[in-house]
Amino acid sequence: MKVLLVFLFASVYAKHELYEGWKSFYVKPSTDVQLKSLRNLNPELDLDFISYPTVDREGVVVVKPPFQDDFLKFMAEENIEYWVHAEDVKAQLDQDDQLIEAQRKATRFSRSERVTYENYQPLEVIYEYMDTVARKYSQTVTLVTPANSFEGRPIKYLKISKDNFKSGKPVIFLDAGLHAREWITIPTVTYAIHKLVENVTEPDLLDKFDWILFPVVNPDGYKYSYDVARLWRKTRSTDQHSLSAMCPGVDGNRNYDFFWNTVGTSSNPCSDQYAGGRPFSEVETRAVDGILKEHLNKLAMYITMHSFGSMILYSWGHDGTLSEHAFDLHTVGVKMADVIVKSSLSHFPRYIVGNSALVLNYRASGGSEDYAHSIGVKLAYTFELPGFGRGGNGFILNPRYIKQVSAETWAGVVIGAREAGKLFNARSTQPNFDNTRQD
Ligand code: 0X9
Ligand code: ZN
């Protein structure tokens, strides 16, 4: 028994060896020029932005050992403000684990629900929760498994509807967990499930809408991040590329068929922004595409959850131009942000709403909200959920804020859905309404 305990302890704390010697920094550019030069440094020094800085708002960047001297030299030369986030990334990840473990112990016996919002849940628990909800509320909830992931896990989402999507109500689609390490995104979607069927306080949402809730788009990646490499971002697939076996995985948010692999992407499988061998090379992104296409004529709003940044972002992300629906995108986005900020904590960063390329100051093609928008989903958003700052010093949002972020994000979704419903109904009464792609 003692040996087993020692082994378990060792395996938990040996887990982050990969990150030995890595460091992370808060970076806070104060001008557009500084921000741009920092962004341009990325490919050269293989920087990993865990959260993106904007002008006068700090982000967090992870720097690998061989590039640390050059990075610090650059920061000094460019006079960009920075300070240490984690002197030792491995030690910080170990501490994050301890935080999660302590929280798990403290809450183990305090709740009867399977999924609580006091901690990050393993994939198995999330899947079991989805199964249970589908069984228990079989009148309204349908579990769909459109395919298996690259590593053979079921890809699962829930359809929630009072009449099994028969009367053709407008559809709201939320997804999360495309980027494996963005753990906080997942509970925001399971919380939406909870609020639609288990703890209903806004009954109009199911009277007036049908819902698709897809909490873990990239189950292989999430499992890998949870069990092996915390900062994993991509899927876990391999392809024909000669480097692929050594460097598996595709950045799901560069893999959609929208100006695929043209900007802010890489053709190198070892990059975290690898776009894949072709558009929709990933079964996981194809699953999202299948949903978008199946419900296209009824899709009133699509939100894909990412982290971190406290931002609501919209098209076009590949070039920073505005779409013809920019006014509605911005207006509904601001209404959502407004209610989120009002439901939030005073020390959380305030939300920023805008075109993704302009807000983030980088262009990236092949993103899911751009793709959805390009095929006709008028209201398509990326949420970058809150994290860091005083929310915690680690790589996870402190688990004590999971409930808060889930609840405030839900408050935003509620308002967004109602606004989307109004726009959708007004639009579908117009004779020439067409919800399909116009190139
Ligand atoms: O770069 C991304 O994929 C997203 N940020 S994240 O930190 N979660 O990786 C932002 C995507 C913005 N949208 C598009 N570029 N289309
Ligand atoms: Zn992301």
Side-chain angles (χ1 to χ4, degrees), residues 29-209:
S30 57
T31 64
D32 267 326
V33 176
Q34 286 187 342
L35 184 56
K36 278 224 166 70
S37 62
L38 191 58
R39 297 278 336 154
N40 291 339
L41 194 66
N42 188 7
E44 229 178 284
L45 300 190
D46 199 14
L47 302 178
D48 185 359
F49 285 88
I50 298 282
S51 93
Y52 292 94
T54 56
V55 172
D56 282 333
R57 185 160 169 170
E58 71 266 25
V60 173
V61 63
V62 179
V63 192
K64 293 171 190 153
F67 305 111
Q68 285 163 6
D69 288 346
D70 285 351
F71 174 75
L72 293 176
K73 206 167 131 220
F74 169 87
M75 295 303 274
E77 274 167 15
E78 298 289 319
N79 208 11
I80 301 177
E81 193 185 346
Y82 72 92
W83 62 100
V84 172
H85 168 259
E87 183 62 43
D88 176 349
V89 167
K90 182 197 170 322
Q92 186 58 61
L93 292 173
D94 288 342
Q95 261 179 45
D96 283 353
D97 281 356
Q98 286 164 22
L99 198 66
I100 289 173
E101 201 40 46
Q103 182 84 347
R104 202 180 304 287
K105 282 195 185 124
T107 54
R108 185 172 289 165
F109 302 110
S110 69
R111 288 267 189 274
S112 53
E113 300 141 41
R114 278 298 282 155
V115 164
T116 71
Y117 295 89
E118 285 140 357
N119 220 330
Y120 297 101
Q121 308 287 352
L123 180 67
E124 295 72 18
V125 173
I126 297 156
Y127 272 10
E128 204 180 302
Y129 171 70
M130 293 170 73
D131 295 345
T132 307
V133 170
R135 251 196 329 269
K136 210 163 150 193
Y137 301 91
S138 57
Q139 293 288 320
T140 40
V141 182
T142 311
L143 178 76
V144 187
T145 304
N148 282 349
S149 67
F150 182 82
E151 292 181 334
R153 296 183 178 85
I155 294 172
K156 295 188 188 196
Y157 66 87
L158 296 182
K159 289 166 76 174
I160 305 188
S161 166
K162 283 206 155 162
D163 61 7
N164 200 15
F165 284 64
K166 287 220 175 70
S167 59
K169 295 173 191 171
V171 174
I172 311 291
F173 175 15
L174 311 181
D175 77 25
L178 175 63
H179 283 151
R181 66 191 179 196
E182 297 170 7
W183 293 6
I184 181 57
T185 62
I186 293 167
T188 65
V189 176
T190 56
Y191 192 79
I193 298 168
H194 176 65
K195 291 300 295 174
L196 285 169
V197 292
E198 293 184 304
N199 174 15
V200 182
T201 46
E202 290 90 10
D204 60 307
L205 294 183
L206 214 46
D207 292 337
K208 297 201 185 114
F209 301 94

Side-chain angles (χ1 to χ4, degrees), residues 113-336:
E113 300 141 41
R114 278 298 282 155
V115 164
T116 71
Y117 295 89
E118 285 140 357
N119 220 330
Y120 297 101
Q121 308 287 352
L123 180 67
E124 295 72 18
V125 173
I126 297 156
Y127 272 10
E128 204 180 302
Y129 171 70
M130 293 170 73
D131 295 345
T132 307
V133 170
R135 251 196 329 269
K136 210 163 150 193
Y137 301 91
S138 57
Q139 293 288 320
T140 40
V141 182
T142 311
L143 178 76
V144 187
T145 304
N148 282 349
S149 67
F150 182 82
E151 292 181 334
R153 296 183 178 85
I155 294 172
K156 295 188 188 196
Y157 66 87
L158 296 182
K159 289 166 76 174
I160 305 188
S161 166
K162 283 206 155 162
D163 61 7
N164 200 15
F165 284 64
K166 287 220 175 70
S167 59
K169 295 173 191 171
V171 174
I172 311 291
F173 175 15
L174 311 181
D175 77 25
L178 175 63
H179 283 151
R181 66 191 179 196
E182 297 170 7
W183 293 6
I184 181 57
T185 62
I186 293 167
T188 65
V189 176
T190 56
Y191 192 79
I193 298 168
H194 176 65
K195 291 300 295 174
L196 285 169
V197 292
E198 293 184 304
N199 174 15
V200 182
T201 46
E202 290 90 10
D204 60 307
L205 294 183
L206 214 46
D207 292 337
K208 297 201 185 114
F209 301 94
D210 292 333
W211 292 76
I212 293 170
L213 291 315
F214 196 168
V216 194
V217 172
N218 173 14
D220 296 348
Y222 183 58
K223 179 118 184 96
Y224 193 70
S225 166
Y226 206 93
D227 293 343
V228 183
R230 170 65 53 77
L231 301 182
W232 192 258
R233 167 180 167 97
K234 302 187 288 178
T235 60
R236 292 291 301 158
S237 65
T238 49
D239 60 27
Q240 302 310 310
H241 196 289
S242 56
L243 293 173
S244 176
M246 187 177 80
C247 297
V250 165
D251 182 346
N253 218 28
R254 303 290 180 274
N255 190 240
Y256 285 79
D257 191 5
F258 179 76
F259 288 87
W260 177 79
N261 203 14
T262 53
V263 54
T265 62
S266 170
S267 301
N268 180 348
C270 298
S271 160
D272 255 346
Q273 280 76 37
Y274 178 45
R278 59 192 153 82
F280 289 124
S281 59
E282 304 306 281
V283 63
E284 295 81 4
T285 53
R286 289 202 298 276
V288 175
D289 185 35
I291 298 170
L292 291 170
K293 292 222 173 95
E294 184 183 341
H295 301 281
L296 192 54
N297 292 324
K298 290 287 159 193
L299 262 175
M301 183 167 69
Y302 167 62
I303 302 176
T304 182
M305 302 293 180
H306 287 255
S307 65
F308 292 99
S310 302
M311 295 158 179
I312 295 180
L313 307 173
Y314 54 77
S315 293
W316 302 108
H318 70 301
D319 69 358
T321 60
L322 293 179
S323 95
E324 60 183 307
H325 301 299
F327 181 78
D328 287 340
L329 279 164
H330 196 73
T331 312
V332 177
V334 168
K335 285 185 180 169
M336 291 193 280

